[in-house]
Amino acid sequence: MVTEESRTGDRYHHGNLRAALLDSALDVLTESGVAGFSMREAARRAGVSQSAPKYHFGDTSGLLGALATRAYRQLCERLEAVELSGRDVRERVAALALAYVAFARDNRALFDLMWRMTQFDYNDPELAEYKHRALRALDRVLRGTDAAQTAEGAALVQSYAVWSLVHGYTTLALEGAIDEEAADPLTSDLLPAMLRLVDVHPRDRR
């Protein structure tokens, strides 16, 4: 949100303009979706000239990429805030899965944007780091909180399998294509039942 403290007269302090543009861009994205997104409208709502966003983001792709990066960072923070102590591996996975679903439910527009790989630079280094950080949050739940931070190849198969299941359920549930009787995807018994079918267990911690 843009506050009065972020303005000098009718002009934003330079340090606040980028954040203000991201906030107004999120409003436009929430109302119009990716297909109807307009950088010009984001600038208008921020109360700046149409050329102002170009200085910070270059073009629409750059602005959407910055929003996607913000979304991945928020997802990481949500996943990393899950309390894991005193829980076995299945309980930890279930808790992380519900946090993932809750993030998507609470941030529908951002969640949709995050997977629109053709709309922004999906290989941007900062965005890529948050993507990997989100996967590591799940991976370390499966392999143990004291497992090495780096893993690749076969060590990640189980993590990708669980992530794919949770993401697939989330996407289908939010679109109303699965468990239509549950008004809220967090209240459905389907995801916990699906996770019970997965053979989750701590991996080798070397």
Side-chain angles (χ1 to χ4, degrees), residues 141-154:
V141 162
L142 287 166
R143 293 190 301 125
T145 55
D146 60 343
Q149 292 191 19
T150 58
E152 56 187 27

Side-chain angles (χ1 to χ4, degrees), residues 44-185:
R44 186 191 70 78
R45 295 191 185 200
V48 296
S49 69
Q50 296 176 11
S51 61
K54 295 180 180 180
Y55 177 83
H56 293 277
F57 307 105
D59 55 16
T60 299
S61 176
L63 180 51
L64 289 175
L67 270 181
T69 300
R70 174 192 275 191
Y72 275 103
R73 184 185 71 244
Q74 292 173 347
L75 173 61
C76 288
E77 292 169 352
R78 181 79 68 100
L79 296 180
E80 292 167 354
V82 174
E83 179 57 54
L84 302 176
S85 60
R87 294 175 167 179
D88 63 26
V89 64
R90 286 192 175 279
E91 292 169 336
R92 296 198 302 265
V93 169
L96 215 68
L98 290 177
Y100 189 93
V101 176
F103 173 83
R105 181 201 60 186
D106 297 342
N107 302 275
R108 290 288 301 273
L110 283 177
F111 186 74
D112 178 51
L113 173 65
M114 291 165 69
W115 313 104
R116 299 294 189 100
M117 302 178 190
T118 61
Q119 299 294 326
F120 51 85
D121 181 6
Y122 202 64
N123 295 311
D124 174 81
E126 184 180 9
L127 187 149
E129 170 55 29
Y130 284 120
K131 284 191 302 179
H132 295 150
R133 183 172 146 188
L135 175 61
R136 286 199 300 269
L138 172 60
D139 182 56
R140 288 170 69 78
V141 162
L142 287 166
R143 293 190 301 125
T145 55
D146 60 343
Q149 292 191 19
T150 58
E152 56 187 27
L156 288 175
V157 169
Q158 189 178 56
S159 297
Y160 277 125
V162 174
W163 188 5
S164 297
L165 186 156
V166 174
H167 181 78
Y169 166 81
T170 302
T171 302
L172 291 170
L174 291 177
E175 293 297 325
I178 190 170
D179 197 6
E180 297 177 357
E181 295 181 359
D184 184 337

